[in-house]
Amino acid sequence: YGEVDLIMREGTRWVFVEVKTRRSLDFGSPGESVTARKQGQIARAALHFLFERQAPEGPCRFDVVEVLLAPRNAPQVRHLQAAFDLPEEL
C-alpha cells in the first residue's frame, strides 16, 4: 500500500504525516513533490493502517512537513497541517 513517515494522534484524530526534504528550491518546495499519486499512496496506507488495527471511525488528517537543507544555512522546517484531503477515488 505504501508507507507513511509518521502516524500521530491529536486527541481522537489520527494524523498521517509525509516528511519531504530538499537541498534547494530549484525544483519547487518540498511539499510540492507530494503529488496526487503520492497522496493516493499515503491515503491507501493510512486506510490499511486503520483497518488492520480496527481503529474506530473518526477524523483523520494528512499533513506534510517540509525540510529545506540549504547549504550554509540552518535547516528550515515548515509543518503544513491538512495539506491534502482523502482522495475521492479511494
Side-chain angles (χ1 to χ4, degrees), residues 36 39-40 43 60-63 81-90:
Q39 291 173 14
C60 68
R61 190 177 77 214
F62 297 94
D63 292 1
Q81 291 187 4
F84 63 92
D85 294 320
L86 188 64
E88 291 181 20
E89 63 271 5
L90 293 183

Side-chain angles (χ1 to χ4, degrees), residues 59-86:
C60 68
R61 190 177 77 214
F62 297 94
D63 292 1
V64 173
V65 171
E66 296 182 320
V67 181
L68 183 59
L69 300 175
R72 297 179 298 280
N73 291 322
Q76 297 176 23
V77 178
R78 187 167 77 150
H79 179 197
L80 306 171
Q81 291 187 4
F84 63 92
D85 294 320
L86 188 64

Side-chain angles (χ1 to χ4, degrees), residues 24-57:
S24 77
L25 297 174
D26 291 347
F27 299 101
S29 71
E32 289 175 318
S33 66
V34 183
T35 62
R37 181 174 180 267
K38 181 64 175 176
Q39 291 173 14
Q41 291 172 336
I42 295 166
R44 280 189 291 283
L47 292 173
H48 180 74
F49 170 87
L50 294 171
F51 176 78
E52 286 293 310
R53 283 153 186 81
Q54 298 178 351
E57 292 284 330

Side-chain angles (χ1 to χ4, degrees), residues 7-32:
I7 301 173
M8 318 289 275
R9 292 285 294 200
E10 182 180 68
T12 60
R13 180 186 314 262
W14 287 100
V15 181
F16 299 92
V17 183
E18 176 70 5
V19 179
K20 296 306 277 185
T21 303
R22 288 213 168 148
R23 295 193 181 278
S24 77
L25 297 174
D26 291 347
F27 299 101
S29 71
E32 289 175 318

